[in-house]
Coordinates of all heavy atoms in Angstrom, one line a residue:
R60 N 52.0 6.2 22.2 CA 52.8 7.1 21.5 C 52.1 8.1 20.6 O 51.4 7.7 19.9 CB 54.0 6.4 20.9 CG 55.1 7.2 20.6 CD 56.4 6.4 20.2 NE 56.2 5.8 18.9 CZ 57.3 5.1 18.4 NH1 58.4 5.1 18.9 NH2 57.1 4.6 17.3
I63 N 54.6 11.9 15.2 CA 55.3 13.1 14.9 C 54.6 13.8 13.8 O 54.4 13.3 12.7 CB 56.8 12.8 14.6 CG1 57.4 12.4 15.9 CG2 57.5 14.0 14.1 CD1 58.9 12.0 15.6
D103 N 69.9 2.7 30.0 CA 70.5 4.1 30.1 C 69.6 5.2 30.4 O 68.6 5.5 29.5 CB 71.1 4.2 28.6 CG 72.0 5.5 28.5 OD1 71.9 6.4 29.3 OD2 72.8 5.5 27.6
A195 N 39.4 22.2 39.0 CA 39.8 22.6 37.5 C 39.8 24.0 37.2 O 40.6 24.6 36.4 CB 39.3 21.6 36.6
K378 N 29.3 -4.0 24.3 CA 28.7 -4.9 25.4 C 27.4 -5.3 24.9 O 27.0 -6.3 25.4 CB 28.6 -3.8 26.5 CG 28.0 -4.5 27.8 CD 28.2 -3.6 29.0 CE 27.9 -4.2 30.3 NZ 27.8 -3.3 31.4
N390 N 47.8 5.0 34.9 CA 48.1 6.0 35.9 C 47.0 6.8 36.4 O 46.8 7.2 37.6 CB 49.3 7.0 35.3 CG 50.5 6.1 34.8 OD1 51.2 5.6 35.6 ND2 50.7 6.1 33.6
D404 N 32.1 -4.3 33.0 CA 31.5 -5.3 33.8 C 32.6 -5.4 35.0 O 32.1 -5.9 36.0 CB 31.5 -6.7 33.1 CG 30.6 -6.6 32.0 OD1 29.4 -6.2 32.1 OD2 30.9 -7.0 30.8
F407 N 39.6 -2.7 36.8 CA 40.7 -3.1 37.5 C 41.6 -1.7 37.6 O 41.6 -0.9 36.6 CB 41.5 -4.0 36.7 CG 41.0 -5.4 36.6 CD1 40.0 -5.7 35.8 CD2 41.4 -6.4 37.4 CE1 39.4 -7.0 35.6 CE2 40.9 -7.7 37.4 CZ 39.9 -8.0 36.6

Side-chain angles (χ1 to χ4, degrees):
R60 196 164 70 170
I63 289 179
D103 186 336
K378 190 172 181 179
N390 304 293
D404 299 307
F407 292 81

